[in-house]
Amino acid sequence: MKKLLPEGFREVSHGADAALEVWARDLPGLFRQAAQGMYALMGATPTRANSTSRTLSLFASDDESLLVAFLSQLLFLLEQESLLFTNIVLELQPGNLKATLEGIPPGSIQREIKAVTFNDLAICQEERLYRVSIVFDL
Amino acid sequence: MTITLQAFNKINDYEWEIPADYRPDMRVPVRFFASRRLLEDALGDRSVEQAVNSTTLPGLVGRVAVMPDVHQGYGFPIGGVAATRYPEGVISPGGIGYDINCGVRLLASVIPLEAGQPYLEDLALALDQKCPSGVGVKGGRALKPAELENVCRQGSAWAVKHGFGEPVDISRTEAGGCLDGADPLSLSHQARERGQGQLGSLGAGNHFIEIDVVEQLFDAKAAAAFGLVEGCLALQIHCGSRGLGHQVCTDYVQSFQDAVRRYNIKLPDRELVCAPMDSPEGRNYLSAMRCAANYAFANRQVLAVHAREAFEQVLAGKVKNWHLRLVYDIAHNMGNIETHEIDGRKLKVCVHRKGATRAFGPGAPGLPEEYKASGQPVLVPGSMGTESWVLAGAARAMELSFGSCCHGAGRVMSRSAAKHAVRGEQLKRELEAQGIHIRAGSLPGLAEEAPQAYKDVSEVVKVVIETGLAKKVALLKPLAVIKG
């Protein structure tokens, strides 16, 4: 079996929409990889413009809800403020996420993601890795 | 547990049912409308399991109905119809979908194919220029906050009042282009922000504008009522509530995660979250969902006017009558409060249609006068490059599927598989060789929508005809496709 990198993501087949499998050694890493995977699904590539900072503070009842809230915020900021975040620093505590983000406008976006879903969403920890599968509505 | 063909009771060649005792958490049976081949396709992904999961919602009545174009979604399958008792039953945002009131609008013309053919490329270009499409694209007019609130309250009527269309367009739109009970206070700041810039835009993904020719008529009387003339051009617009609708569903699926705990509702998938319609959470979602639905009606109304302008720009002085007349505008992601007869009793229910079209039969309340005898037009777009169908709702749909029918061909291949199997450039060349003009914002996006990624729409339509959910009226062949 091919050895997995300590952090990463890959697209997995889904009927009408798109899905990602994401893994990392800790929860902030998992969230960062999920963000990068989502941008990769969209075919969103950064330009060389000056970066802009944003901070986020999100609350939710569990880690899965925080993950959906975080990715949904990134989609919103990409659509409304044309910001693709290339540097993501996260602090995660139970029920609370704080993010410091550095973003630049995307060069192009190949594919629209309408939303991040809760479909079969469960973060699990196995063999010292956090893993999650995320289904996106296209 | 993997569900196999053995789980189904065969009712006839086109109806299959999983009984309510198949799994302990099921509240009602689930009826699939499918040929054996289409059912086997459905068993190839998780759509059957998702349909069974959807039978666990509190307050369901009758049965969950699944259309022949079913495919795997998230929470509900695409092609699922579920009715919950109003107001004590639940409403589930995932049972309606993120693109609230995604739907199809069909416009007919009396432009003969031979008169329009020389201008098809110019028409496609003009439509592309006048109807903004692509990822996150803005519409031509930014709405002020108060204007957005009026769009959300009034739907199509707002558009007509502001010069986008004719009063007759309103009566030829499902629900008159406006759901009552839409209060913009139920929208988040983000939903409002997204809605302000996007009215009159097509978006991306599987949304499209397509010029067709009416290839064949099957019911001359109904076709005449619908204004469809054999050999003449028609136009379809497929899109929804854009970012506003996506945000409404995102907001409420998120907030209902806590609501299900408060109301002690146990569900097999978190995407199925729901709240009782008579709870504060349920009322707020219903209101926000109606805002998004009205926004979508207005969006397609504005796009239709831009399409009419494109036809005028290209055809004025060259073709006798270039006018596009609205046949009908239908939703296929919607939650509607309707009255249906269930077990001999008339009940008020919330019909969740997720990738399913309302298909009211002859004489049903709410249909425009001119469609009362035929039943409402049911629009079934095929995959890109293949035929589309215009059907009419039939009485049996009222008995079997809460007045619902299929909404398209239905995917049979995942997007990633389609992208590996098909190259966008090659597909464009192949379609153009068949005489279909293509304007696409993204070639990989075009590949994802390749005809081979979809079921055969004729087989899907055959099922709804054989089961009596609808009647054939007309067959449309594509001539030009504009995609985001």
Side-chain angles (χ1 to χ4, degrees):
Chain A
M1 193 178 152
K2 208 170 152 184
K3 199 176 171 191
L4 288 177
L5 292 168
E7 290 193 345
F9 60 83
R10 67 181 182 101
E11 186 176 356
V12 288
S13 188
H14 184 277
D17 295 295
L20 275 182
E21 192 180 301
V22 187
W23 63 92
R25 283 196 175 134
D26 55 26
L27 274 178
L30 192 77
F31 279 46
R32 269 195 308 273
Q33 287 299 323
Q36 286 180 19
M38 183 175 77
Y39 288 145
L41 276 181
M42 299 175 82
T45 49
T47 54
R48 287 177 178 269
N50 290 334
S51 66
T52 307
S53 298
R54 287 283 180 277
T55 55
L56 291 177
S57 184
L58 301 169
F59 299 89
S61 49
D62 53 46
D63 291 338
E64 286 83 359
S65 295
L66 271 179
L67 178 61
V68 172
F70 172 61
L71 296 176
S72 300
Q73 283 295 323
L74 298 191
L75 282 180
F76 175 80
L77 290 166
L78 182 58
E79 182 188 285
Q80 288 300 306
E81 298 187 22
S82 205
L83 285 175
L84 177 72
F85 295 106
T86 49
N87 189 18
I88 298 174
V89 178
L90 295 170
E91 277 177 55
L92 267 164
Q93 287 175 343
N96 173 222
L97 173 151
K98 283 187 180 150
T100 308
L101 311 163
E102 294 279 330
I104 45 181
S108 67
I109 300 175
Q110 295 294 323
R111 188 196 236 180
E112 180 180 50
I113 287 182
K114 288 178 185 158
V116 187
T117 81
F118 278 88
N119 183 201
D120 291 332
L121 188 71
I123 296 172
C124 57
Q125 200 180 0
E126 50 188 50
E127 293 173 12
R128 289 184 296 167
L129 278 184
Y130 285 86
R131 287 174 184 277
V132 69
S133 293
I134 312 165
V135 175
F136 298 89
D137 182 36
L138 298 185
Chain B
M1 179 165 63
T2 305
I3 302 174
T4 64
L5 206 54
Q6 282 65 47
F8 291 85
N9 293 330
K10 183 177 176 181
I11 312 289
N12 57 47
D13 285 348
Y14 299 102
E15 291 178 60
W16 311 74
E17 189 161 283
I18 299 180
D21 61 3
Y22 173 74
R23 222 172 64 182
D25 57 348
M26 288 174 73
R27 294 172 191 267
V28 294
V30 55
R31 175 82 58 100
F32 280 73
F33 297 91
S35 61
R36 188 180 171 116
R37 199 175 98 176
L38 290 174
L39 187 64
E40 283 170 352
D41 281 346
L43 286 162
D45 63 26
R46 297 184 59 195
S47 46
V48 176
E49 179 192 343
Q50 291 181 337
V52 170
N53 287 346
S54 69
T55 67
T56 63
L57 293 176
L60 281 172
V61 295
R63 61 173 77 91
V64 166
V66 181
M67 296 299 130
D69 52 332
V70 64
H71 54 270
Q72 181 180 342
Y74 38 85
F76 271 60
I78 315 297
V81 181
T84 47
R85 192 184 288 262
Y86 181 83
E88 63 272 33
V90 299
I91 187 157
S92 171
I96 291 159
Y98 286 89
D99 198 358
I100 296 164
N101 188 4
C102 185
V104 184
R105 173 171 286 230
L106 174 67
L107 298 109
S109 83
V110 290
I111 306 164
L113 173 61
E114 52 276 19
Q117 186 108 53
Y119 307 108
L120 283 175
E121 205 171 338
D122 292 343
L123 279 173
L125 176 63
L127 286 166
D128 199 10
Q129 287 170 342
K130 287 186 176 289
C131 303
S133 63
V135 181
V137 72
K138 307 282 186 220
R141 167 184 177 147
L143 297 170
K144 293 184 179 127
E147 283 182 307
L148 176 73
E149 292 194 355
N150 286 333
V151 171
C152 290
R153 284 195 194 96
Q154 298 165 19
S156 295
W158 179 90
V160 171
K161 215 183 291 175
H162 287 77
F164 295 102
E166 304 154 7
V168 70
D169 294 345
I170 293 174
S171 66
R172 291 190 186 138
T173 301
E174 182 176 316
C178 180
L179 300 186
D180 292 335
D183 181 354
L185 283 176
S186 55
L187 298 175
S188 67
H189 173 72
Q190 291 190 335
R192 288 162 182 257
E193 199 176 316
R194 294 176 79 174
Q196 279 177 22
Q198 294 182 340
L199 191 73
S201 64
L202 190 66
N206 62 357
H207 293 166
F208 63 81
I209 297 178
E210 185 174 288
I211 304 172
D212 300 290
V213 60
V214 180
E215 177 88 353
Q216 195 179 352
L217 298 181
F218 297 87
D219 181 335
K221 215 169 158 185
F226 294 177
L228 293 168
V229 183
E230 192 166 323
C232 287
L233 302 189
L235 184 101
Q236 295 183 81
I237 300 171
H238 174 223
C239 69
S241 47
R242 308 287 287 111
L244 184 144
H246 310 164
Q247 191 67 46
V248 166
C249 190
T250 294
D251 292 340
Y252 282 89
V253 169
Q254 181 81 253
S255 68
F256 279 19
Q257 300 295 320
D258 295 329
V260 288
R261 282 190 279 271
R262 270 196 298 281
Y263 296 105
N264 195 27
I265 298 169
K266 304 269 184 265
L267 296 165
D269 183 346
R270 294 181 69 168
E271 190 64 24
L272 288 170
V273 286
C274 54
M277 280 178 278
D278 56 5
S279 68
E281 296 90 341
R283 280 194 292 273
N284 279 340
Y285 170 67
L286 259 174
S287 170
M289 185 270 294
R290 288 164 172 161
C291 287
N294 292 344
Y295 185 93
F297 283 135
N299 191 36
R300 289 194 292 275
Q301 182 65 36
V302 172
L303 283 168
V305 169
H306 291 328
R308 283 173 176 155
E309 289 166 0
F311 268 58
E312 181 174 1
Q313 179 187 304
V314 173
L315 300 177
K318 296 167 187 153
V319 170
K320 265 190 200 161
N321 181 354
W322 62 83
H323 188 71
L324 290 169
R325 169 195 176 276
L326 180 57
V327 175
Y328 209 50
D329 180 299
I330 53 163
H332 51 231
N333 282 357
M334 193 71 121
N336 272 339
I337 309 301
E338 297 169 3
T339 301
H340 287 272
E341 194 172 309
I342 296 141
D343 299 329
R345 287 177 57 213
K346 289 206 172 211
L347 283 181
K348 214 172 193 184
V349 291
C350 177
V351 183
H352 298 66
R353 295 189 180 93
K354 172 82 179 77
T357 298
R358 199 190 73 174
F360 282 2
L367 298 188
E369 201 54 42
E370 60 270 35
Y371 299 157
K372 279 209 163 133
S374 57
Q376 74 161 82
V378 175
L379 313 174
V380 186
S383 54
M384 186 173 52
T386 64
E387 74 266 25
S388 296
W389 288 85
V390 182
L391 313 176
R396 281 213 87 205
M398 308 308 276
E399 294 165 30
L400 293 174
S401 60
F402 303 101
S404 312
C405 193
C406 57
H407 85 308
R411 287 196 82 93
V412 77
M413 188 189 282
S414 71
R415 288 173 191 270
S416 51
K419 241 178 12 183
H420 283 116
V422 181
R423 291 192 65 81
E425 267 178 31
Q426 191 190 341
L427 174 64
K428 189 167 184 276
R429 276 199 301 273
E430 284 169 10
L431 291 170
E432 285 175 346
Q434 293 170 37
I436 303 169
H437 298 272
I438 302 288
R439 295 194 67 85
S442 152
L443 286 173
L446 191 73
E448 290 182 7
E449 295 298 317
Q452 48 269 56
Y454 284 83
K455 297 175 191 177
D456 177 358
V457 70
S458 301
E459 194 175 347
V460 168
V461 165
K462 187 176 181 200
V463 173
V464 298
I465 301 303
E466 292 291 335
T467 47
L469 299 183
K471 295 177 300 178
K472 278 185 190 175
V473 177
L475 174 70
L476 311 177
K477 285 271 186 188
L479 301 170
V481 183
I482 295 95
K483 291 192 63 63

